[in-house]
Amino acid sequence: MPEAASGPAVSGPPRLEGVRRIVAVSSAKGGVGKSTVAANLAVALASRGYRVGLADVDIYGPSIPIMFGVSELPHPDAATRLIEPVESCGVRLMSMGFFLDDQAPVVWRGPMAMSATKQFLRGVAWGELDYLIVDLPPGTGDVPLTLAQEIPLDGGIVVTTPQDVALADVTRGAAMLRRVSTPILGVVVNMAGYLCPTCGTRDDLFGTHPAEQIARTIGAPVLAQFPIDARVRETGDAGRPITAADPEHPLSRAYLALAEAVEEALGKLRADLYGAEPVSIDRDDTAGVVRIHWSDAVVTEYTYAGLRGWCPCAVCQGHASQARFVEVEDPRLVGDEGVGRYAVRLHWADGHDTGIYSYGWLREIADFAECRPASSRA
Ligand code: ADP
């Protein structure tokens, strides 16, 4: 079994120790529901079984403590001197709001935040996290730029409303993420119409939302559209995001779908990093070998044991930040099926089928023990 350190990294080099993926939630202006989206996305990911942290660096309106009903200040650990996050609704929270003087004029907050941001995320005892959601300040100015430069983000989401100006806003928001080399996972259109709770009629208060136009303009999909619903504000004000307060509510279910879409977008990014996809996947049961021909003319070859050993599923990988090789006696591959345009799901004779191998992952593990890449590369 290879040493963990010699295995492929699950998501590149760890940028914050123990944190596997960092996703920023941004918006070009305030009041569009960015913090609401960040909060509910965090709860939805937690309810899917992930370990989730939420860092609120929205200095102009740090609303996360209110949305999660947290009033006590976090404390530094005497031994490590790291600040312990506060846990609520299954999410580990930290907010700039805990450290900002309410009386400080907004004009001071920028410079204060710029110096604080550098220590903020690294000074927190996040522990092992699958996802850290970062609630950025609105706008496209220095603070979000500085922050994004400090922590290489895995991806960013732009929140907007479907007003006419929103398209210009979303373009600026996307440009800001691009400036700091953060891949855009997609756009969330919030307050997209009003669904009458009595008669079920939909009223598009701000005009129809140009989902396709947005997608075409910034080259990223619309991941979700949420209508205006009084329950969102009520639950947020009462200290529990709707996804935690009312999990059966249609909006809460829509947030679960957003969590899935974010997962998928991150998986697809890994595939895109390679810019190649399998043209054919051939199994040789006698030799116990899988051979993949890729669209960039590379051929990779894997023993069944190697492929099974690097299974990326949560059961096999646990929550370690470094990939784990799982030894299985005489594994036999019995099937494969495509997942979206970014991965294949492998079925093993012992019934194990939770491993979704992104194309990027298949290319990464080809370089490690028990797979046989080098000799078979074109
Ligand atoms: P931002 O972070 O962009 O400034 P917030 O998330 O703080 O915006 O939301 C602003 C206000 O709008 C909050 O009172 C919030 O509860 C409310 N809100 C957000 N999204 C919705 C929605 N879909 N329906 C109803 N109210 C919403």
Side-chain angles (χ1 to χ4, degrees), residues 30-36 58 63 67 190-191 227-229 232-233:
V32 299
K34 172 184 54 60
S35 299
T36 303
D58 183 351
S63 44
M67 282 185 194
N190 192 35
M191 308 192 192
I228 292 177
D229 191 313
V232 174
R233 195 191 44 74

Side-chain angles (χ1 to χ4, degrees), residues 26-27 29-40 58 61-64 67 135-136 138 159 189-194 226-237 251 255:
S26 67
S27 66
K29 62 178 184 191
V32 299
K34 172 184 54 60
S35 299
T36 303
V37 169
N40 282 287
D58 183 351
S63 44
I64 294 297
M67 282 185 194
D135 184 11
L136 286 178
V159 181
V189 185
N190 192 35
M191 308 192 192
Y194 171 75
F226 299 115
I228 292 177
D229 191 313
R231 284 287 287 151
V232 174
R233 195 191 44 74
E234 284 162 22
T235 50
D237 287 354
L251 258 162
Y255 268 107

Side-chain angles (χ1 to χ4, degrees), residues 11 29 34 42 86 101 105 140 158 174 176-177 191 199 201 207-208 253-254 296 310 322 346 353 358 360:
S11 57
K29 62 178 184 191
K34 172 184 54 60
V86 180
D101 178 356
T140 52
V158 181
M176 191 275 286
L177 289 174
M191 308 192 192
C199 66
T201 314
T208 50
R253 289 207 291 272
D296 58 354
W310 292 122
Q322 200 73 36
L346 298 184
D353 66 357
S358 74

Side-chain angles (χ1 to χ4, degrees), residues 123-197:
V124 177
W126 293 110
E128 296 275 328
L129 289 184
D130 296 304
Y131 284 95
L132 177 63
I133 306 299
V134 181
D135 184 11
L136 286 178
T140 52
D142 285 346
V143 176
L145 275 174
T146 303
L147 178 83
Q149 277 153 6
E150 288 300 312
I151 309 285
L153 300 160
D154 291 292
I157 295 170
V158 181
V159 181
T160 187
T161 59
Q163 285 149 289
D164 282 344
V165 292
L167 187 56
D169 283 348
V170 85
T171 310
R172 279 193 295 132
M176 191 275 286
L177 289 174
R178 285 211 181 92
R179 260 183 73 193
V180 294
S181 306
T182 299
I184 300 156
L185 302 178
V187 176
V188 169
V189 185
N190 192 35
M191 308 192 192
Y194 171 75
L195 205 60
C196 174

Side-chain angles (χ1 to χ4, degrees), residues 41-170:
L41 172 62
V43 174
L45 284 165
S47 73
R48 284 172 63 77
Y50 292 111
R51 299 179 193 189
V52 183
L54 176 55
D56 172 17
V57 295
D58 183 351
I59 47 158
Y60 305 115
S63 44
I64 294 297
I66 295 169
M67 282 185 194
F68 282 85
V70 174
S71 50
E72 84 266 31
L73 287 178
H75 295 290
D77 181 286
T80 63
R81 305 183 66 133
L82 295 174
I83 300 170
E84 291 291 332
V86 180
E87 185 144 350
S88 177
C89 305
V91 176
R92 295 177 208 165
L93 308 169
M94 188 52 65
S95 171
M96 280 282 213
F98 294 137
F99 308 103
L100 283 172
D101 178 356
D102 277 352
Q103 306 305 315
V106 164
V107 68
W108 283 106
R109 295 190 172 203
M112 270 164 38
M114 297 278 275
S115 54
T117 295
K118 292 198 165 76
Q119 281 112 41
F120 182 71
L121 289 174
R122 292 186 194 278
V124 177
W126 293 110
E128 296 275 328
L129 289 184
D130 296 304
Y131 284 95
L132 177 63
I133 306 299
V134 181
D135 184 11
L136 286 178
T140 52
D142 285 346
V143 176
L145 275 174
T146 303
L147 178 83
Q149 277 153 6
E150 288 300 312
I151 309 285
L153 300 160
D154 291 292
I157 295 170
V158 181
V159 181
T160 187
T161 59
Q163 285 149 289
D164 282 344
V165 292
L167 187 56
D169 283 348
V170 85

